[in-house]
């Protein structure tokens, strides 16, 4: 992975060291997006990620940037509602998004001749704050039901988004909110498109339970602090290569 070239088109993404059956186009909201330069805790250098826009179609960049802008506004409004649901001020989370690293992905899942042998995306939990997903009417998203561990299909609803809570919100809420395990199955006859927006904090954010949610509570902090930028970069690396071991997860920071 080359710093500054982590965005744009690719079709070799891995999830949990397994190749996904799809192709993607990634772009970030901020230009440039400030990101951690390495996963080394002692390296304080900052990388500048630049979007890799194609020449055709010529209107793609303008439309995509306008969509991302609207998604940021929606994401921050949702964060206000989530904050108030936990007894916090509506603007409690604003400080974490000054130089946010949010991004958008265009997913294309081609028809798969052997759908029982492949997944569009392997099971995982989103490492970020929120994922706001737009999808077509083909379907394929499944979530693992907590009560019995079974995979349940998420039926597409016209003109509606699916909102996934991510690991960062799970840590901020000290476990009151939980990220959801999900995957995407493929179709032998139909192609599928989806557009997830990923709401991410600034790269220098130290992710930890909010003090007001643990002060005075006997349960204490369930997670140790970690740097979002380095955590995100470590997860991003696994998109491009098969690692020798499972990638870093938030359970590695659990007390």
């Amino acid at each position: 992975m080359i710093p500054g070239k982590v965005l744009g088109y690719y079709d070799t993404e891995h999830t949990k060291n397994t190749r996904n059956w799809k192709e993607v186009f990634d772009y970030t909201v901020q230009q440039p997006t400030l990101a951690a330069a390495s996963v080394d805790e002692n390296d304080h250098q900052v990388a500048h990620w630049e979007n890799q826009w194609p020449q055709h179609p010529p209107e793609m960049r303008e439309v995509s940037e306008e969509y991302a802008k609207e998604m940021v506004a929606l994401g921050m409004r949702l964060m206000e509602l989530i904050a108030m649901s936990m007894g916090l001020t509506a603007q409690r989370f604003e400080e974490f998004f000054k130089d946010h690293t949010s991004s958008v992905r265009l997913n294309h899942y081609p028809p798969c001749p052997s759908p029982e042998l492949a997944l569009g995306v392997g099971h995982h939990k989103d490492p970020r704050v929120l994922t706001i997903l737009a999808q077509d009417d083909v379907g394929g998203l499944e979530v693992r039901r907590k009560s019995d561990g079974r995979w349940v299909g998420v039926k597409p609803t016209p003109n509606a988004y699916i909102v996934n809570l991510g690991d960062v919100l799970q840590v901020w809420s000290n476990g009151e909110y939980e990220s959801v395990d999900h995957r995407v199955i493929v179709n032998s006859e139909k192609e599928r498109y989806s557009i997830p927006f990923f709401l991410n904090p600034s790269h220098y954010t130290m992710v930890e339970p909010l003090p007001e949610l643990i002060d005075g509570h006997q349960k204490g902090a369930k997670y140790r602090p970690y740097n979002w930028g380095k955590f995100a970069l470590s997860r991003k690396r696994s998109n491009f290569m098969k690692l020798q071991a499972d990638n870093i997860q938030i359970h590695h920071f659990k007390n």
Side-chain angles (χ1 to χ4, degrees), residues 10-253:
Y10 56 100
D11 61 359
T12 58
E13 186 192 44
H14 291 72
T15 299
K16 291 186 180 293
N17 285 334
T18 300
R19 177 86 171 262
N20 296 326
W21 187 274
K22 69 171 180 175
E23 56 185 350
V24 308
F25 182 87
D26 285 339
Y27 69 96
T28 54
V29 180
Q30 305 270 50
Q31 276 299 290
T33 292
L34 305 181
S38 78
V39 297
D40 183 350
E41 293 184 0
N42 297 314
D43 183 357
H44 302 295
Q45 296 185 74
V46 177
H48 293 72
W49 289 5
E50 300 281 356
N51 287 327
Q52 311 294 310
W53 296 108
Q55 293 184 347
H56 302 285
E59 66 273 16
M60 178 178 176
R61 177 172 182 172
E62 181 180 355
V63 171
S64 297
E65 289 179 340
E66 182 63 25
Y67 181 80
K69 179 180 177 181
E70 294 297 328
M71 286 297 98
V72 171
L74 175 59
M76 294 309 297
R77 176 55 179 155
L78 290 173
M79 292 308 297
E80 290 179 353
L81 296 173
I82 290 170
M84 290 188 291
S85 76
M86 293 190 289
L88 307 171
T89 62
Q91 288 73 40
R92 178 62 179 90
F93 293 106
E94 282 188 1
E95 65 182 281
F96 302 118
F97 296 95
K98 180 181 179 182
D99 299 304
H100 66 94
T101 55
S102 304
S103 65
V104 177
R105 166 168 289 182
L106 310 180
N107 283 321
H108 173 232
Y109 302 89
C112 180
S114 301
E116 73 281 0
L117 300 178
L119 284 171
V121 181
H123 81 92
H124 66 288
K125 295 184 176 183
D126 289 341
R128 50 196 56 87
V129 182
L130 293 178
T131 298
I132 304 175
L133 176 70
Q135 62 174 340
D136 62 17
D137 60 357
V138 174
L141 175 65
E142 294 185 333
V143 298
R144 192 193 296 272
R145 191 161 56 193
K146 190 175 180 181
S147 60
D148 58 9
R150 293 184 60 185
W151 289 102
V152 179
V154 180
K155 185 178 180 179
T157 301
N159 303 314
Y161 288 111
I162 293 170
V163 179
N164 278 352
L165 307 183
D167 289 342
V168 172
L169 185 57
Q170 180 170 322
V171 174
W172 278 345
S173 69
N174 204 33
E176 292 300 312
Y177 282 106
E178 292 186 37
S179 57
V180 62
D181 197 8
H182 57 286
R183 67 182 186 182
V184 176
I185 60 174
V186 287
N187 193 298
S188 62
E189 300 177 355
K190 296 180 179 180
E191 62 183 350
R192 175 178 182 259
Y193 292 90
S194 69
I195 308 175
F197 164 73
F198 304 127
L199 183 65
N200 300 324
S202 308
H203 75 91
Y204 46 77
T205 300
M206 292 302 295
V207 180
E208 58 187 319
L210 297 179
E212 52 264 62
L213 297 181
I214 58 175
D215 289 347
H217 295 272
Q218 293 182 351
K219 59 185 177 183
K222 295 181 179 179
Y223 298 91
R224 300 185 303 277
Y226 64 89
N227 177 272
W228 162 250
K230 296 189 180 300
F231 183 90
L233 184 62
S234 178
R235 292 289 291 262
K236 186 76 172 175
R237 287 192 310 168
S238 70
N239 288 353
F240 295 85
M241 66 187 77
K242 189 168 184 177
L243 304 177
Q244 297 299 315
D246 286 343
N247 207 348
I248 193 169
Q249 308 288 332
I250 62 162
H251 67 72
H252 292 127
F253 299 93

